[in-house]
Amino acid sequence: MSDSLNTPETPETPHHAPGTSVRHTRSKGEPRFPDGPKADPAGSHFERRIRSFQPRRSRVTAGQADALQRLWPKWGLDIDGQRTIDLGELFGNDNPVVLEIGFGMGEATAQMAGADPGTNILAVDVHTPGQGNLLNLADTGGLSNVRVANGDAIILLREMLTPDALDGLRVFFPDPWPKKRHHKRRLIQPDFLSLAATRLRPGAIVHCATDWEPYAEQMLDVLTAHPDFENTRPDGGFAPRPGFRPLTRFEGQGLEKGHVVNDLLFRRVQHRSR
C-alpha cells in the first residue's frame, strides 16, 4: 500500500502551467481542498493501531489540484467509517467490483480500467497527488468505472462494505517495511486476510505483487496457511505476471536493476464452518 498520507496545498490562482507544483498560504483552519479529499476522514472515531502506511507531506501539481476540485464530489470517497456503502449506487451499475489498495500515481489502475470496462475498480490510497492524477486519467480517458477512495483501507473493509461485496482484491507493490522491527506494519497479515475474506465473494481473486523477495515469501506463506484462500497455481508457488497487470515504469526500473517481481493469485474459497 502507498506509504503516504498527504495533505496537498491549494493553488493560489488557477494560472499554473500543467505539471508545476502548487503552493498556497492558507488561513488557520482553511481546508486545502474545500470540495476534495479530507486530510483525516475517519478522525478519532476508531481505535489507534499500527498502520501499514506512513504519513508524509507531498506537493500537488496544478492539474492534480484541478482534478481533485472538479471530480472528487463525483468520483471520490472519503473513508470515514460512518456509513455502509452501496457499491451499485456508488458506480451506478451492478458490475463486479475489485478493490485496489495502494495505487501510487494511478497509471496502472487507469490502464486496467480501460482494458476491462465491465469491471468497476474502487481504488484506495492516501497519496493526494496520486488521487488527483488517477482522477485526471479517468476523466481524460472517459473511464466511468473508477472510484477513488481516500483513507484507511482497513476501516473501509471493516466498517463500510457489506459481506461478499467484492469480486477481487489487488495489492500491488505495498510498502515492504524491510526492517525486521517493522514487519508488523506489513499489510498482508493473517488478521487482514480474515477481514478481507468476509468482504470477498467465494471465487474472488486476491492478487498481490511485490519486488521485495522476503515479503513475497511471507505473503506466500501467510496466504497458503489461511483457510479462506487457495493458491490458483497447482504447484503452490508464485504466478507469472498476468497480462492484465500492466508493467509500470516503477516495476520496469526495478527489473532493470535486477529486482525479481513475484505475483500471487489466490482464490477465496467457499465459507467454512469453524
Side-chain angles (χ1 to χ4, degrees):
M1 183 177 184
S2 174
D3 62 348
S4 55
L5 180 57
N6 294 276
T7 49
E9 310 295 343
T10 304
E12 185 173 1
T13 75
H15 305 294
H16 290 278
T20 59
S21 294
V22 176
R23 296 191 66 82
H24 171 59
T25 302
R26 295 175 299 108
S27 322
K28 185 176 181 180
E30 177 188 351
R32 289 177 171 82
F33 289 104
D35 299 319
K38 304 296 185 295
D40 185 12
S44 58
H45 297 296
F46 299 94
E47 77 284 356
R48 294 179 61 85
R49 57 182 167 76
I50 294 172
R51 302 292 177 90
S52 63
F53 53 88
Q54 177 177 312
R56 64 175 173 84
R57 296 176 64 87
S58 180
R59 295 183 180 182
V60 65
T61 68
Q64 293 160 2
D66 175 69
L68 288 166
Q69 288 292 92
R70 289 188 302 107
L71 301 171
W72 192 261
K74 179 182 178 183
W75 287 339
L77 171 70
D78 276 311
I79 301 173
D80 58 13
Q82 299 301 301
R83 57 197 173 96
T84 302
I85 301 169
D86 183 327
L87 292 177
E89 181 179 331
L90 181 68
F91 285 95
N93 58 58
D94 293 325
N95 291 342
V97 179
V98 172
L99 175 65
E100 182 176 355
I101 300 178
F103 55 80
M105 294 305 291
E107 291 97 341
T109 305
Q111 289 183 55
M112 289 185 289
D116 185 10
T119 296
N120 296 324
I121 300 178
L122 179 55
V124 182
D125 211 309
V126 291
H127 184 231
T128 315
Q131 293 167 350
N133 200 58
L134 178 53
L135 286 170
N136 191 42
L137 291 170
D139 186 36
T140 57
L143 306 176
S144 60
N145 58 330
V146 175
R147 298 294 182 270
V148 180
N150 167 53
D152 190 336
I154 300 296
I155 294 175
L156 174 68
L157 284 164
R158 191 181 63 198
E159 310 291 343
M160 300 180 71
L161 295 179
T162 57
D164 298 348
L166 299 172
D167 292 82
L169 172 64
R170 296 169 181 163
V171 184
F172 298 155
F173 303 99
D175 193 323
W177 295 102
K179 295 182 180 179
K180 187 174 182 180
R181 68 176 183 272
H182 291 156
H183 286 184
K184 59 189 176 183
R185 296 183 180 273
R186 289 176 171 175
L187 180 64
I188 306 302
Q189 306 275 5
D191 287 348
F192 169 77
L193 293 175
S194 294
L195 172 61
T198 66
R199 302 300 183 247
L200 291 163
R201 65 166 180 79
I205 297 296
V206 173
H207 183 185
C208 301
T210 180
D211 65 339
W212 191 259
E213 290 186 82
Y215 194 11
E217 294 290 347
Q218 178 188 322
M219 287 180 178
L220 182 61
D221 290 344
V222 171
L223 278 160
T224 299
H226 201 285
D228 288 327
F229 298 97
E230 63 182 7
N231 200 333
T232 62
R233 292 283 299 174
D235 61 5
F238 298 110
R241 179 178 67 86
F244 63 80
R245 183 175 73 75
L247 182 67
T248 65
R249 180 175 55 183
F250 166 80
E251 184 179 357
Q253 291 171 345
L255 291 172
E256 290 176 359
K257 297 175 182 176
H259 295 184
V260 175
V261 175
N262 286 298
D263 284 74
L264 302 93
L265 285 93
F266 276 71
R267 182 180 297 106
R268 170 73 166 96
V269 299
Q270 292 287 338
H271 293 283
R272 301 177 181 180
S273 58
R274 297 182 183 178

